Amino acid sequence: MRISSRALIAQLAASLAIVAVTTLVFARWIHVNSTTIALVYLLGILAIATGWGLAQSVMASLVAMLCFNYFFLPPVGQFTIADPQNWVALVAFLTTALAGSTLSDRAKKQAQEARTHQRETEQLYALSRSILLTDFSHAIGFQAVQHIAEIFECRAVALYDASAGDVVYGGAEDLRGIEGALKQVAVQGASPANAQPGVLFAAIALGGRPIGSLALKGLSLSDGALQALLNLVAISLERVRMEEAANRAEAARQSEEFKSTLLDAIAHEFKTPLTSIKAGATSMLSDPSRLSPQFREFATIIDEEVDRLSRLVTEAVRMSQIDAGKVRLEREPLEIAEVVRSVLDHCELQADGRKLNLQAAEGLPPVWADRDLVFLALRQLIDNGLKYSPPGSPLDVTVGVEKDRVVVRVSDHGQGIPDRERERIFDKFYRRQASKKFIPGTGLGLYIAREIIRAHGGDVWVEGETGSGAEFCVSLPVRETLADAGTEPGAASEQQHAAAVPPGVITGSPAAALPENRAS
Ligand code: ADP
């Protein structure tokens, strides 16, 4: 603890007075031997060292030595010493006084440091407690500066939160006008050149990344405690960030859940009327000669639009089943090339005369998969290939084996997909701006396809050069790989599925029922 120069002068004068009084008492009134006098001097010096400090006790030691020599060692009244033994006594006195002063001053400082340390620990504990109990319904930065000002008895505190970009103030005094300096500290990590006198600036960083800065007026803290204080503030700012992110994620989740539930409900309501309309349109078109050309055209439009609506409804229902974990895999050994061929046959009508090329490698190993679901996933990709490429352009599908996996590649001659969107297109309801306006869709097809393939322990991704067509790839583990793992295919599929899919998305029990035509 530092003392003012006035207090120091007063203590030096008091130390001199103690030595003077001791000298007077023994010179005038109490006559005892020189050893007793020396010990009394020493007592006074130790008391001065313990109470006030080293400077005061050193000065008292020197003056006491001179007085002891002048007044009590023969020849009395002179600064000379006749007996050499008294020299020894004088040197021993001075050495003892100085050593005692140093030791008691050190002990005093250590006690002082221990008290300071304890106080700082208590303050830091109080701050961390207040951060833990922070009320997230109120501005966190404001609460933090109030707590710091109160707990550390600062006259003024200012906190700059870099991500929010604002500065909050606390404490009795005003620190306004330091925003620029605070921002500079946050960026450079060093105190600004024109910093206000008496104000301590410090950067706040988390994991080496600057996230703000703090200005404190009237704070006395050791470096270690200051660092701990900055860390606590950093943690509290990060907590706010995490809390906000969690709230946003929860809001997004709830909105998505709401969308899914609503869609599911609407889709179920649509199913029956759509079936009736489809039946009507089909029977009208079964004998077109009975219809006038205009009505025939109307019936064709109704038929096509009903197909589109049915598909939308089916996708909505399937998505909600996947989200609810209601879809189960019914696995069987599957020749994937044969499934691809049946999907291409199915898409023949939609292809409208376009070439659908299939190239399948010889002797492909079977995969252990759910036929209907894999059919749906592949149909989705082939549909998209036709939908998002120019009329008349061919579609190429290859099937081969790559590193223990059967891989199906669907390549079109459309615009392709830019790198930055190659993951996003698999998100629920995501549709690219480029296709949104011109091509109808729901943004669910790829999400469903990927969920299905991942449930089998495989994956779906996009390759191809942007601008010269997209190549959608599907990989599925071959049946041998599953058997090699030393388990029954059914059990292995369960394990693969568990590793690949978040719990509750699609479950792999062969026993249970499944989607579209299998689930309601
Ligand atoms: P939908 O086709 O109903 O919009 P999808 O989930 O099948 O939904 O596809 C999501 C988006 O990915 C589409 O809106 C489209 O922008 C893009 N996309 C899918 N397949 C292709 C493709 N073969 N070529 C270019 N873009 C594609």
Side-chain angles (χ1 to χ4, degrees):
M1 194 176 62
R2 311 201 87 196
I3 58 164
S4 68
S5 46
R6 272 176 135 199
L8 181 67
I9 292 169
Q11 287 173 3
L12 288 170
S15 307
L16 284 181
I18 289 170
V19 176
V21 169
T22 312
T23 309
L24 192 68
V25 167
F26 287 114
R28 278 282 168 84
W29 298 299
I30 304 172
H31 298 288
V32 290
N33 65 27
S34 58
T35 312
T36 310
I37 295 166
L39 285 174
V40 175
Y41 273 132
L42 274 178
L43 267 181
I45 288 163
L46 285 179
I48 291 167
T50 313
W52 293 330
L54 189 62
Q56 296 84 329
S57 65
V58 167
M59 196 205 67
S61 306
L62 293 172
V63 175
M65 180 204 68
L66 293 174
C67 292
F68 184 50
N69 177 9
Y70 189 84
F71 290 103
F72 304 110
L73 292 181
V76 173
Q78 287 179 27
F79 281 111
T80 53
I81 293 171
D83 187 349
Q85 278 187 24
N86 287 337
W87 273 112
V88 176
L90 197 64
V91 170
F93 170 76
L94 187 62
T95 313
T96 313
L98 290 176
S101 298
T102 314
L103 286 176
S104 64
D105 179 66
R106 195 179 297 162
K108 185 184 149 206
K109 277 191 180 139
Q110 279 171 352
Q112 181 72 43
E113 269 171 23
R115 272 199 300 277
T116 309
H117 189 69
Q118 187 186 351
R119 200 196 64 215
E120 287 179 349
T121 310
E122 283 167 6
Q123 287 173 324
L124 288 169
Y125 171 71
L127 183 64
S128 58
R129 202 168 167 275
S130 67
I131 284 173
L132 277 177
L133 300 177
T134 299
D135 175 2
F136 279 93
S137 60
H138 293 89
I140 305 300
F142 181 71
Q143 292 181 64
V145 289
Q146 298 297 331
H147 290 316
I148 294 171
E150 197 181 303
I151 294 170
F152 292 91
E153 294 160 13
C154 288
R155 298 208 295 280
V157 184
L159 170 67
Y160 168 58
D161 180 350
S163 79
D166 55 7
V167 180
V168 281
Y169 300 90
E173 289 184 22
D174 201 2
L175 259 186
R176 266 153 232 278
I178 59 160
E179 287 83 0
L182 275 169
K183 288 178 184 169
Q184 195 182 334
V185 174
V187 175
Q188 297 173 351
S191 281
N194 55 349
Q196 285 191 16
V199 179
L200 173 77
F201 286 89
I204 303 168
L206 199 75
R209 176 174 52 94
I211 57 170
S213 56
L214 201 61
L216 302 143
K217 191 170 186 182
L219 177 84
S220 71
L221 266 192
S222 65
D223 286 353
L226 176 64
Q227 197 50 54
L229 164 66
L230 294 172
N231 289 345
L232 282 174
V233 177
I235 289 168
S236 102
L237 291 181
E238 199 56 19
R239 266 194 76 198
V240 180
R241 223 56 78 241
M242 281 163 65
E243 188 78 12
E244 284 171 356
N247 286 344
R248 272 201 303 275
E250 177 59 17
R253 195 190 61 75
Q254 280 180 4
S255 126
E256 198 146 279
E257 207 174 282
F258 176 69
K259 259 193 218 166
S260 303
T261 315
L262 195 69
L263 249 156
D264 187 35
I266 295 172
H268 272 102
E269 291 304 312
F270 271 43
K271 266 188 157 183
T272 320
L274 276 176
T275 315
S276 314
I277 298 171
K278 177 75 187 170
T282 315
S283 69
M284 268 160 48
L285 287 171
S286 63
D287 188 2
S289 58
R290 282 193 300 156
L291 300 172
S292 70
Q294 202 186 12
F295 277 104
R296 202 178 310 144
E297 197 185 326
F298 284 156
T300 313
I301 293 173
I302 291 172
D303 190 53
E304 282 171 10
E305 292 304 310
V306 164
D307 281 347
R308 206 158 75 79
L309 260 177
S310 301
R311 188 158 166 199
L312 199 143
V313 165
T314 308
E315 282 183 355
V317 172
R318 194 167 301 127
M319 182 202 68
S320 64
Q321 285 167 349
I322 287 175
D323 281 352
K326 283 188 197 156
V327 180
R328 289 177 173 269
L329 304 183
E330 287 182 15
R331 295 180 189 252
E332 59 184 296
L334 219 59
E335 298 297 336
I336 208 78
E338 184 234 309
V339 182
V340 173
R341 208 165 287 121
S342 58
V343 175
L344 290 176
D345 289 347
H346 183 90
C347 294
E348 204 60 63
L349 198 70
Q350 189 194 344
D352 202 16
R354 291 164 65 176
K355 283 199 101 184
L356 304 178
N357 303 319
L358 171 63
Q359 231 184 340
E362 289 290 313
L364 283 168
V367 294
W368 184 251
D370 183 309
R371 175 181 290 275
D372 288 353
L373 283 178
V374 171
F375 181 95
L376 288 175
L378 291 172
R379 196 190 74 191
Q380 188 58 50
L381 302 182
I382 290 169
D383 267 2
N384 278 357
L386 291 169
K387 205 160 85 171
Y388 296 106
S389 60
S393 63
L395 190 79
D396 300 306
V397 185
T398 60
V399 189
V401 177
E402 297 174 23
K403 290 191 210 145
D404 291 344
R405 291 188 166 230
V406 174
V407 176
V408 181
R409 291 173 179 271
V410 180
S411 315
D412 61 48
H413 292 82
Q415 284 301 307
I417 294 153
D419 283 352
R420 63 174 187 287
E421 287 187 293
R422 287 188 174 187
E423 267 307 307
R424 290 209 68 190
I425 54 168
F426 292 97
D427 287 352
K428 235 189 272 177
F429 302 112
Y430 184 79
R431 305 204 67 219
R432 291 187 55 223
Q433 283 299 339
S435 42
K436 237 181 195 171
K437 281 195 203 133
F438 313 105
I439 303 166
T442 56
L444 289 173
L446 290 179
Y447 165 77
I448 292 170
R450 187 181 252 188
E451 288 299 320
I452 289 173
I453 298 299
R454 286 193 169 170
H456 287 84
D459 204 2
V460 184
W461 70 96
V462 196
E463 290 182 6
E465 290 292 314
T466 314
S468 62
E471 183 173 69
F472 277 84
C473 313
V474 174
S475 79
L476 283 167
V478 300
R479 200 183 170 195
E480 278 83 355
T481 323
L482 301 174
D484 284 351
T487 34
E488 281 299 302
S493 66
E494 296 285 346
Q495 287 171 0
Q496 295 239 350
H497 169 217
V501 193
V505 176
I506 302 179
T507 44
S509 159
L514 116 81
E516 197 183 12
N517 33 9
R518 285 188 261 155
S520 66

